[in-house]
Amino acid sequence: MEITPRIKELPNHLIDQIKAGEVIEKPASILKELIENSLDAGADKVHIQIENNGLDLIAVSDNGHGMNYEDLPKAFGRHATSKLNKFEDLYQLSSFGFRGEALASMSSISRITCSSSPKSGHGGKLVIHGGQQVSHIEFENNESGTAINIRDLFYNTPVRLKFIKSKTSEKNAIWKTLNSFILSNPKVSFFIKYGSGDKAIYPAKDNIKERLKQVFKKNNEDFIVVNGEYEGHKIFAMVGPKSGRGSSKNNQFLFANKRLFSDKAIHSAVLKAMEGVWGPGESGAYCLMLDIPPSYLDVNVHPRKTEVRFFKSSIVFSLVRSSIEKSKPKKTFSFDNADKGDLENLLNENFSMKNNWESEGVNSSPNLFSITESFFLFNHNGRPYLINAPILFEKYINLKMREVVESEIVPLLIAEPYPIAYGPIDNLFEELSAFGFIINRPDKETILVKSVPDYLSELPIRNILSLFFTYLEKAPKKGLKDSFLSIDNIKMTKFSLQQILLMLKPFLSTWGSSEFAKPLNDEVLHRIYH
Ligand SMILES: Nc1ncnc2c1ncn2[C@@H]1O[C@H](COP(=O)(O)OP(=O)(O)OP(=O)(O)O)[C@@H](O)[C@H]1O
Ligand SMILES: [Mg+2]
């Protein structure tokens, strides 16, 4: 028969060591708690020193409001805080801390020396080893501030020490923590001494953009600046357009009311919004700051306070996604030097290709998609082609001008007036009529177009003719046909799907011209389909 074990209460120091695990997971967690305390104390100068990636020493000193001699030991007691009075205060927080647990947790698993002093009154110096007070002395100082040294982290809980990851990952976590405070508190100066390296100084700045430059250690001129607001929820973000696989994590920051947090769903919203700018499966640097009405934000989700809950999470997600989408640069696409990635992004961005290419006829719309104003995707005999509209137009006009006969002239129901003053163009009226344009001049300032060639009647003629006439006015000597086709600005003309189909039609029987239609790379399509 087994002996029934007796139930006994745990001694306080053991409770403290166990509970410390909830708050202090690694050196970076201590650093986070200490800097938060300094900021909560209103400091605008924070000095930080780290030795052996935080295992030997984490020292943080500040010029905040400090503590007086009597209060100092209380700060290290469990559930002791000056920041919260009643539960409801949790939803109107203006401080990082509220649990009154951080200092107690760290004091139980390290050796701490803390000196603190208020602006007036007596300050004190307290030494605690593994939760046991070693000394507490009073001293006078006329500057307010607090300095805490945490040495020999986990010295009395060797098992915890084993869970410390590689030097690199601890270092990365520490720098991510440091960078998050540097970014979100631009008006606070930070002085950082990391191991044997030089002291890094971050002087106070007016805005986060300057800090971003320092933190990301690269120019952020090309960063996308995002601003948005919806129902009291605000977003400010800066997102880097360059992307890569992996490693970007250290440069991705989410803040809710200045508090760094992690949230996979919001990260995915950023990825989704940046599709087309960031490559598939890649991501880039971002710093995203949410300003949430305090009563809509729950920070009391986990003792480490690195998770938050939004009461209106759908607002937050759509705010993130739509604000970034609105601000991101529209990709400019060039037919001639488009690479696979460009195409893939373009296609992904503009439509999902669920259509069956084989079964549709030429005149039905699933065969033609508009990608940008100038580029269309066209299915010919089951194969997709990218259509360059300005070149297609040029080829179409060329073809038509060769075959035009008078009977194909289409009179316009209402003659189109154009504000073109009397000049060289008037000498061309006769020549123009041979091409199907019947034009006359009712007064010195206007010309009237009464009919146009049939092949133009369904195209955006008003737009095309204005450009054409402007060109003729300037360079009438250059032969009519050349003038018509060398209108650079034709690129600005918008064509409808119908007009593109119309212009494509004459070429379908002799398909094969690659000047305006380029077959899409099979590999790219394969990746899109599957
Ligand atoms: N740098 C500091 N300057 C002035 N007072 C401080 C400083 N650090 C801690 N304190 C005081 O000690 C108290 C306890 O700090 P601690 O970090 O343990 O708890 P907290 O900040 O109140 O809550 P949390 O556990 O959520 O961080 C604080 O409420 C504050 O009054
Ligand atoms: Mg705190």
Side-chain angles (χ1 to χ4, degrees), residues 33-34 36-37 40 83 96-103 305:
E33 295 295 338
L34 294 180
E36 284 185 352
N37 282 347
D40 282 349
K83 302 170 189 173
F96 288 110
F98 56 86
R99 301 174 57 90
E101 268 193 326
L103 291 184
K305 298 172 287 188

Side-chain angles (χ1 to χ4, degrees), residues 143-158:
E143 298 271 336
S144 76
T146 303
I148 299 195
N149 289 0
I150 313 273
R151 291 183 192 280
D152 308 328
L153 185 57
F154 301 132
Y155 80 101
N156 54 352
T157 52

Side-chain angles (χ1 to χ4, degrees), residues 254-327:
L254 291 176
F255 298 95
N257 297 358
K258 279 186 148 188
R259 196 182 286 278
L260 183 76
F261 70 103
S262 49
D263 188 311
K264 285 202 177 108
I266 294 189
H267 175 70
S268 310
V270 177
L271 291 184
K272 198 93 201 114
M274 287 299 285
E275 260 178 20
V277 180
W278 288 346
E282 300 186 343
S283 66
Y286 64 77
C287 172
L288 196 149
M289 313 198 115
L290 295 166
D291 195 351
I292 310 288
S295 56
Y296 287 12
L297 180 72
D298 192 352
V299 291
N300 187 25
V301 180
H302 186 278
R304 274 197 287 275
K305 298 172 287 188
T306 48
E307 283 169 46
V308 296
R309 220 177 272 139
F310 302 101
F311 289 139
K312 300 213 168 173
S313 53
S314 56
I315 288 186
V316 177
F317 295 133
S318 43
L319 182 69
V320 168
R321 197 167 156 188
S322 64
S323 314
I324 297 178
E325 263 169 5
K326 244 193 335 221
S327 318

Side-chain angles (χ1 to χ4, degrees), residues 27 43 55 80 86 104 130 150 173 175 225 251 273 316 342 352 420-421 449 503:
L55 292 177
K86 52 184 188 304
I150 313 273
W175 272 108
V225 180
N251 282 337
V316 177
D342 282 346
S352 58
I420 293 173
V449 177
M503 294 194 288

Side-chain angles (χ1 to χ4, degrees), residues 73-119:
K74 291 189 206 156
F76 292 84
R78 193 160 290 288
H79 309 304
T81 181
S82 56
K83 302 170 189 173
L84 194 75
N85 292 312
K86 52 184 188 304
F87 187 73
E88 289 70 34
D89 292 350
L90 265 183
Y91 301 96
Q92 294 299 334
L93 274 183
S94 56
S95 60
F96 288 110
F98 56 86
R99 301 174 57 90
E101 268 193 326
L103 291 184
S105 294
M106 53 187 95
S107 72
S108 70
I109 45 163
S110 66
R111 297 185 227 264
I112 294 192
T113 307
C114 176
S115 306
S116 190
S117 174
K119 187 128 192 84

Side-chain angles (χ1 to χ4, degrees), residues 123-300:
K125 179 175 173 182
L126 183 71
V127 179
I128 304 179
H129 288 178
Q132 304 299 311
Q133 185 172 315
V134 175
S135 67
H136 181 205
I137 54 168
E138 192 172 335
F139 73 85
E140 240 174 284
N141 197 349
N142 45 18
E143 298 271 336
S144 76
T146 303
I148 299 195
N149 289 0
I150 313 273
R151 291 183 192 280
D152 308 328
L153 185 57
F154 301 132
Y155 80 101
N156 54 352
T157 52
V159 190
R160 299 288 313 285
L161 204 52
K162 270 201 225 151
F163 282 92
I164 292 298
K165 294 187 191 134
S166 72
K167 278 188 180 154
T168 324
S169 66
E170 293 308 327
K171 192 172 178 179
N172 282 343
I174 288 174
W175 272 108
K176 173 116 195 203
T177 304
L178 288 169
N179 284 336
S180 76
F181 287 108
I182 294 167
L183 276 176
S184 55
N185 299 279
K187 297 207 161 82
V188 178
S189 312
F190 290 92
F191 306 84
I192 300 169
K193 175 101 178 80
Y194 201 112
S196 54
D198 289 341
K199 191 180 253 182
I201 298 174
Y202 297 83
K205 296 279 177 193
D206 278 342
N207 59 54
I208 177 188
K209 283 183 198 168
E210 295 296 314
R211 278 283 165 91
L212 213 65
K213 241 182 234 176
Q214 276 183 294
V215 168
F216 290 166
K217 295 192 183 62
K218 56 185 158 200
N219 226 335
N220 56 358
E221 296 303 312
D222 58 343
F223 270 47
I224 303 159
V225 180
V226 179
N227 278 293
E229 181 171 4
Y230 188 70
E231 287 192 4
H233 293 59
K234 290 187 198 135
I235 180 177
F236 167 77
M238 292 192 65
V239 188
K242 293 198 185 69
S243 64
R245 283 178 200 273
S247 76
S248 312
K249 254 204 160 128
N250 291 333
N251 282 337
Q252 297 175 336
F253 298 88
L254 291 176
F255 298 95
N257 297 358
K258 279 186 148 188
R259 196 182 286 278
L260 183 76
F261 70 103
S262 49
D263 188 311
K264 285 202 177 108
I266 294 189
H267 175 70
S268 310
V270 177
L271 291 184
K272 198 93 201 114
M274 287 299 285
E275 260 178 20
V277 180
W278 288 346
E282 300 186 343
S283 66
Y286 64 77
C287 172
L288 196 149
M289 313 198 115
L290 295 166
D291 195 351
I292 310 288
S295 56
Y296 287 12
L297 180 72
D298 192 352
V299 291
N300 187 25

